[in-house]
């Protein structure tokens, strides 16, 4: 009997993406393009991608299914190899500053003149005139208000957010090519990805006085008897169920007394008991080891 499951939708099937982008955002974007069906080629300098030096497992995961070649773009032979590939490429992915692209004769005006059907997605730190400024994930997060103390953020939000925007830009470029002849240039700024991720904080949602910033007693991380518990009983029906089982009534989830009562009750419960309660009472929570 034939399978009734719909075929997997690969929106970039038949699309060829060539990447010169190093470190994290470019390879992460290329990985997403590969997952969407694109044929992906990456050209690396003779020294390789720094990611391959400081975290080989991450490098390997990022380049799964991607053809990687070593090409020195500072040489005439390297330039010839690049442009031979660009002749049959749909989208070029870069992460150089504009001045570096200019030196390599890969600025948009030059590319468009030589390969009019080619599109370019250029990953930069900041847009427009700020594209020459040095920066990294940490500085973009700090600029967006996402670094709130001296601890480093737990992941590279701007880089990974930028990778999402870059893979989205590849889709936009291909969609645009169905509407007009010729390639398009799209710029993706990492600080813009940080700004996008920071919007809930900008709106006050995740600040200490916000409902998902600690003010709501049902949306917090509490100590429990043998670890921690992340409680996400934000909606009223979830909050009521949590307070009923904890013996807290009536539940004013913003009141300090509710915070204190829930903290005291949770501190006496084991992770296993809390997980069982969550399943039985349909309360969203997840326990964590210390």
């Amino acid at each position: 009997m034939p399978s009734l499951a719909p075929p997997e939708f690969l929106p970039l099937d038949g699309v060829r993406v060539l990447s010169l982008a190093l470190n994290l955002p470019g390879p992460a974007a290329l990985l997403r393009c590969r997952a969407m069906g694109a044929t992906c080629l990456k050209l690396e300098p003779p020294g390789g991608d720094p990611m391959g030096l400081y975290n080989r497992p991450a490098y390997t995961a990022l380049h799964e299914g991607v053809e990687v070649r070593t090409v020195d773009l500072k040489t005439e032979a390297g330039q010839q190899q690049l442009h031979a590939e660009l002749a049959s490429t749909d989208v070029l992915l870069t992460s150089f500053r504009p001045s570096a692209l200019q030196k390599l004769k890969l600025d948009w005006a030059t590319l468009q003149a030589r390969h009019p059907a080619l599109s370019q997605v250029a990953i930069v730190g900041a847009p427009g005139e700020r594209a020459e400024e040095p920066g990294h994930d940490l500085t973009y997060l700090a600029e967006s208000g996402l670094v709130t103390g001296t601890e480093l953020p737990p992941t590279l939000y701007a880089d990974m957010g930028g990778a999402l925007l870059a893979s989205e830009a590849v889709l936009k470029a291909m969609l645009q090519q169905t509407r007009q002849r010729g390639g398009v240039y799209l710029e993706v700024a990492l600080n813009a990805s940080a700004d996008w991720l920071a919007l809930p904080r900008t709106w006050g949602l995740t600040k200490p006085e916000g409902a998902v910033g600690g003010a709501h007693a049902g949306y917090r991380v509490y100590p429990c008897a043998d670890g921690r518990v992340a409680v996400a009983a934000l909606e009223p029906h979830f909050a009521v169920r949590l307070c009923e089982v904890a013996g807290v009534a009536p539940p004013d989830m913003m009141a300090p007394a509710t915070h204190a009562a829930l903290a005291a009750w949770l501190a006496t419960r084991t992770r296993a008991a809390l997980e069982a309660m969550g399943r039985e009472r349909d309360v969203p929570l997840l326990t964590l080891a210390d």
Side-chain angles (χ1 to χ4, degrees):
M1 181 177 178
S3 172
L4 298 179
E8 184 179 6
F9 177 53
L10 299 173
L12 293 180
D13 186 26
V15 174
R16 193 163 186 262
V17 180
L18 189 155
S19 178
L20 304 176
L22 306 177
N23 287 312
L24 183 57
L30 197 64
L31 180 65
R32 289 189 61 81
C33 291
R34 179 72 189 91
M36 289 187 283
T39 298
C40 298
L41 170 65
K42 183 185 177 195
L43 303 184
E44 294 185 354
D49 189 323
M51 174 70 76
L53 301 177
Y54 62 76
N55 193 314
R56 195 68 193 180
Y59 175 89
T60 300
L62 286 165
H63 294 83
E64 183 178 354
V66 175
E67 181 183 356
V68 179
R69 299 182 201 164
T70 299
V71 175
D72 188 352
L73 297 181
K74 296 179 181 179
T75 67
E76 183 60 32
Q79 284 284 323
Q80 290 178 1
Q81 292 178 63
L82 170 63
H83 287 285
E85 295 294 341
L86 289 180
S88 58
T89 293
D90 295 296
V91 182
L92 171 65
L93 185 64
T94 62
S95 62
F96 299 107
R97 299 187 202 185
S99 58
L101 288 174
Q102 192 85 33
K103 290 178 182 178
L104 293 171
K105 298 179 181 179
L106 294 175
D107 57 281
W108 176 237
T110 302
L111 280 173
Q112 192 174 38
R114 191 163 181 175
H115 305 285
L118 177 70
S119 290
Q120 181 182 7
V121 173
I123 300 173
V124 296
E129 296 180 356
R130 294 188 58 197
E132 291 292 335
E133 295 179 7
H136 244 303
D137 185 276
L138 183 60
T139 57
Y140 305 134
L141 293 182
E143 181 182 355
S144 297
L146 294 178
V147 179
T148 57
T150 58
E151 294 293 325
L152 291 174
T155 191
L156 301 172
Y157 292 107
D159 283 353
M160 295 305 287
L164 290 174
L165 293 182
S167 60
E168 178 184 274
V170 172
L171 289 169
K172 287 180 179 178
M174 297 313 300
L175 180 61
Q176 185 66 18
Q177 286 186 25
T178 67
R179 300 178 177 182
Q180 68 176 41
R181 298 179 69 103
V184 295
Y185 174 85
L186 298 171
E187 186 179 80
V188 172
L190 297 180
N191 73 339
S193 77
D195 286 344
W196 171 253
L197 295 174
L199 281 176
R201 189 166 185 82
T202 302
W203 297 327
L205 292 173
T206 61
K207 291 183 178 178
E209 65 275 14
V212 292
H216 190 288
Y219 198 93
R220 293 192 60 178
V221 179
Y222 291 93
C224 63
D226 56 353
R228 294 168 294 155
V229 56
V231 181
L234 186 63
E235 291 83 352
H237 59 284
F238 288 139
V240 167
R241 291 173 196 163
L242 174 63
C243 289
E244 283 177 349
V245 74
V248 179
D252 178 358
M253 303 309 287
M254 299 296 183
T258 305
H259 283 255
L262 283 177
W265 183 81
L266 291 166
T268 65
R269 266 57 183 180
T270 64
R271 293 175 61 196
L274 289 171
E275 292 282 0
M277 181 275 291
R279 290 191 297 271
E280 293 166 4
R281 301 298 295 268
D282 192 30
V283 175
L285 59 82
L286 182 73
T287 64
L288 306 159
D290 283 330

